[in-house]
Amino acid sequence: MIRTHAAIVLKATPYAEGGAVVSFLTEHGERLSGVARGIKKPTAKWVAAFEPMGMVRVSFFGKEHAELKRVTRCELAFSPLTLGHLASSLVMACLADLFDRVAREGVEDDRLYRLLSACGRALKAHPDNALGILAYAEHWLLHCLGLLPHPRVCGRCGNDQAPLALLTPDQGWCCTACTPVDPTEALPAGVREYLRRLRTGSAEEAPWLDPSDQAQAATTALLRALLLQELGGELRSYAVLWQTLW
Ligand SMILES: [Zn+2]
């Protein structure tokens, strides 16, 4: 049986005899993977179609629950790649890596596809904001995983005015009115406002990285650490990103 999906390419891993095992995020938000053969042949028309984050139409051949399906066709519909733009390419690899870990075979979550395709289009439109778009994606992935409490009111006392002091595993965001925190460990002022910008804006409006914005820096670091911890530790694509850009 052949099934065709709109999908986003996640990762291609070399496989026997010049082939690759390629994973995809389908439009329904399910992770699917299959073997593509002969991709190293110069005539192969799909070589470029396996670039991470490429939006494709892909056809799989194989039984419904077959261990490994075969990719019979893969056509590139949209590429977020900006040639020669290093930061944007590295962030595309990070996003593909993240979604490859989060998406599951046999589990549909169409929020994942909407988020990743929105980030791809935002990257194409604003490659210079690649790091801002990465932070935006990390925030919404945590939300999809159910790990990000709403920041509007303090999870401990319900206060909706006092600045947020820290994020706790059991009570969510806690505010300075009820939670005494050493000033050197408390989150800087403005975290709630920054979170609101992430929640209410589209990927194209993802806040740009502003080195003078301490709330943005602290929130980004906090959410990134939480997400990577949830996914089992540092990802290789992230290591490459930091080594290259810093
Ligand atoms: Zn409170």
Side-chain angles (χ1 to χ4, degrees), residues 31-94:
R31 183 182 181 281
L32 283 184
S33 60
V35 179
R37 296 197 186 281
I39 63 167
K40 292 249 177 79
K41 286 182 201 150
T43 53
K45 61 175 180 173
W46 55 22
V47 171
F50 293 133
E51 130 213 326
M53 292 285 293
M55 297 173 75
V56 297
R57 281 197 72 75
V58 58
S59 300
F60 290 94
F61 175 80
K63 295 201 181 74
E64 185 74 11
H65 299 292
E67 189 68 20
L68 209 47
K69 296 181 179 63
R70 198 152 59 81
V71 178
T72 56
R73 215 179 159 79
C74 185
E75 291 164 1
L76 186 63
F78 175 84
S79 169
L81 186 67
T82 300
L83 282 175
H85 199 293
L86 186 61
S88 148
S89 302
L90 295 172
V91 163
M92 281 167 53
C94 292

Side-chain angles (χ1 to χ4, degrees), residues 154 156-159 174-175 177-179:
C154 169
R156 185 170 285 162
C157 74
N159 188 315
C174 296
C175 78
C178 67
T179 308

